[in-house]
Amino acid sequence: MNKLGLLLGRLHAAEVDLGDEWRKIAERHATDHDVWHIGHQLAEQCRARAESVRSIGERHDITIREPHEAPWDTLLATIRRTGAEALGRRPEPGLLLLMDLRGLYTAAHEVDLYWTMLGQVAQALRDRTTLDEVDGLHRQLLTQIKWIKTKTKEASPQILAVGIPLVGRHHDAG
């Protein structure tokens, strides 16, 4: 496999892995409807981007195989959803959400770096078709990263600051 094939293979695998993580987190946090719906929607975007990577590979005579889904994946998703519902009323899911968002953020940035590399290769090859496609797909990923950051900013004070007394506030006894 040539160097471009190596890059496309890694990008494809990273997109598939990111999509799997979005799905797992969506199922694990099924009681948070925002996370559940957005997680499944963004997992589908990852799947579509992975398909685009395979198409780019085909244009360059590179075959990238689609990974097969293990039969137990559906069972594990059901178990995660049931676990989320059981934990839904306890404080631990909030901390778990923040840990999951951190993991997603890291995984998404790995994918971001691969898209950046592919864009640079397309530019060096003067492959305008691939460059335009990469630009749009990369922007879609950057929107996912923005959602992760926004959700983290929204959730952090609700999860981490609850019950902590305000420091340095003076109340007038007036």
Side-chain angles (χ1 to χ4, degrees):
M1 181 179 282
N2 65 30
K3 294 173 190 173
L4 179 57
L6 180 63
L7 172 60
L8 291 173
R10 298 241 172 135
L11 173 55
H12 181 266
E15 281 286 8
V16 169
D17 290 346
L18 181 59
D20 288 346
E21 285 306 307
W22 276 114
R23 258 188 285 312
K24 288 175 188 173
I25 289 167
E27 294 301 324
R28 190 169 26 245
H29 300 283
T31 57
D32 183 333
H33 299 293
D34 182 38
V35 173
W36 192 87
H37 287 288
I38 295 291
H40 284 288
Q41 179 183 5
L42 298 183
E44 178 57 27
Q45 286 181 4
C46 293
R47 188 209 55 75
R49 285 195 307 268
E51 175 63 35
S52 294
V53 172
R54 284 195 302 280
S55 296
I56 292 168
E58 288 173 6
R59 287 198 307 266
H60 294 275
D61 296 322
I62 299 167
T63 301
I64 300 168
R65 303 203 190 291
E66 186 169 359
H68 61 282
E69 186 174 324
W72 56 82
D73 285 348
T74 303
L75 175 64
L76 290 175
T78 302
I79 292 169
R80 278 191 294 273
R81 188 178 319 112
T82 303
E85 290 167 359
L87 289 173
R89 292 164 194 69
R90 296 172 49 199
E92 292 85 1
L95 293 175
L96 180 60
L97 175 62
L98 290 178
M99 290 185 337
D100 285 343
L101 290 171
R102 185 205 57 79
L104 269 175
Y105 188 76
T106 301
H109 274 283
E110 178 183 6
V111 177
D112 172 43
L113 196 56
Y114 287 134
W115 280 114
T116 299
M117 286 187 244
L118 183 55
Q120 292 300 305
V121 169
Q123 190 171 19
L125 296 174
R126 291 180 169 76
D127 182 350
R128 192 74 208 162
T129 302
T130 300
L131 186 58
D132 289 344
E133 187 174 3
V134 166
D135 183 52
L137 296 169
H138 192 193
R139 275 188 276 120
Q140 184 185 66
L141 172 70
L142 294 174
T143 300
Q144 288 188 5
I145 291 171
K146 286 179 188 176
W147 185 90
I148 297 166
K149 285 181 78 170
T150 300
K151 186 67 176 177
T152 301
K153 287 177 180 180
E154 170 190 295
S156 294
Q158 295 173 7
I159 294 165
L160 299 173
V162 171
I164 298 175
L166 296 175
V167 178
R169 274 237 160 127
H170 300 288
H171 296 283
D172 291 335

